[in-house]
């Protein structure tokens, strides 16, 4: 069963130049752990020669300035964009998604996809919104440079990489590469 959601944003316009390069999208709740983030830099962004796009949320009261500085210290000039967001309230999420039947469908089917809307525990929908936010940052960056990235690589902020990311040349460019049933990593070709 495939569920398609209405696209809230228009499809990206064609750009002047051919796709090139790699963007690493990092998102999640701020659980900054230097060894984890350094492992992303060392085993993902450096071997892939990637630009980094981060969307994170954290404790109430933070402006995100210290968090941005921590990421800049690790990634340096590879950090293309950083955005600090607040997770939406339950009321806001309900209002935003009430235009579709997605909440009702997932509530009936069960599971974690729309937590905290469908159960008290979990933050899946907040994580999905941050992934979408990182993609928006990438698309805005692509508009400025007039070229899409050839690959988008997603990883969670709290994921420790123990080895180098597989060479993208070893991955078929007509598929999305991800760990089976996990949200830790994905490599998406864009052509």
């Amino acid at each position: 069963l495939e569920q398609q959601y209405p696209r809230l944003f228009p499809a990206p316009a064609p750009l002047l130049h051919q796709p090139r390069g790699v963007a690493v999208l990092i998102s999640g709740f701020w659980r900054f752990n230097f060894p984890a983030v350094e492992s992303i830099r060392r085993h993902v962004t450096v071997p892939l020669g990637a630009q980094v796009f981060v969307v994170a949320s954290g404790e109430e009261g933070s402006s995100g300035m210290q968090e941005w500085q921590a990421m800049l210290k690790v990634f340096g000039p590879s950090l293309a964009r950083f955005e600090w967001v607040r997770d939406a309230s339950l009321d806001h999420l309900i209002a935003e998604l009430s235009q579709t039947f997605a909440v009702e469908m997932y509530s009936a089917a069960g599971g974690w996809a729309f937590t905290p809307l469908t159960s008290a525990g979990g933050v899946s929908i907040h994580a999905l919104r941050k992934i979408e936010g990182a993609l928006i940052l990438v698309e805005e960056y692509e508009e400025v440079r007039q070229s899409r990235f050839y690959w988008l690589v997603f990883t969670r902020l709290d994921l420790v990489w123990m080895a180098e990311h597989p060479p993208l040349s070893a991955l078929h460019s007509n598929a999305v590469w991800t760990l089976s049933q996990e949200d830790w990593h994905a490599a998406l070709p864009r052509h």
Side-chain angles (χ1 to χ4, degrees):
L1 174 67
E2 177 183 341
Q3 174 64 40
Q4 294 184 356
Y5 300 100
R7 185 164 172 92
L8 300 177
F9 304 96
L15 300 178
L16 296 176
H17 306 290
Q18 291 295 318
R20 59 186 165 87
V22 178
V24 171
L25 291 72
I26 303 172
S27 65
F29 188 82
W30 189 255
R31 296 179 192 99
F32 186 82
N33 174 304
F34 181 80
V37 176
E38 172 59 21
S39 78
I40 295 169
R41 186 198 66 77
R42 183 175 56 251
H43 295 303
V44 182
T45 60
V46 170
L48 299 178
Q51 294 289 311
V52 179
F53 298 81
V54 179
V55 174
S57 66
E59 299 300 325
E60 197 155 326
S62 175
S63 68
M65 183 60 73
Q66 289 180 331
E67 293 82 356
W68 170 75
Q69 289 172 339
M71 294 300 271
L72 188 59
K73 183 177 180 181
V74 173
F75 291 107
S78 295
L79 182 62
R81 299 285 188 275
F82 178 92
E83 185 172 358
W84 186 254
V85 298
R86 300 226 183 276
D87 289 332
S89 69
L90 191 58
D91 290 338
H92 180 85
L93 292 173
I94 290 169
E96 181 179 295
L97 295 170
S98 66
Q99 300 167 343
T100 71
F101 293 104
V103 175
E104 291 82 0
M105 182 186 82
Y106 277 101
S107 295
W112 288 90
F114 272 28
T115 59
L117 290 178
T118 55
S119 69
V123 293
S124 295
I125 199 160
H126 295 305
L128 293 171
R129 291 167 56 91
K130 284 175 250 196
I131 293 168
E132 179 182 45
L135 180 58
I136 291 168
L137 291 180
V138 167
E139 289 177 344
E140 291 170 352
Y141 187 87
E142 290 172 329
E143 290 288 329
V144 171
R145 76 179 200 157
Q146 284 295 296
S147 177
R148 304 240 177 271
F149 287 100
Y150 195 78
W151 284 90
L152 301 180
V153 176
F154 163 76
T155 189
R156 284 178 28 170
L157 181 61
D158 58 351
L159 182 64
V160 176
W161 283 78
M162 301 301 288
E164 282 194 11
H165 190 282
L168 296 174
S169 61
L171 304 179
H172 195 287
S173 65
N174 286 331
V176 172
W177 295 88
T178 186
L179 298 172
S180 177
Q181 300 179 4
E182 299 295 343
D183 67 346
W184 302 335
H185 166 263
L188 299 88
R190 296 181 74 208
H191 45 80

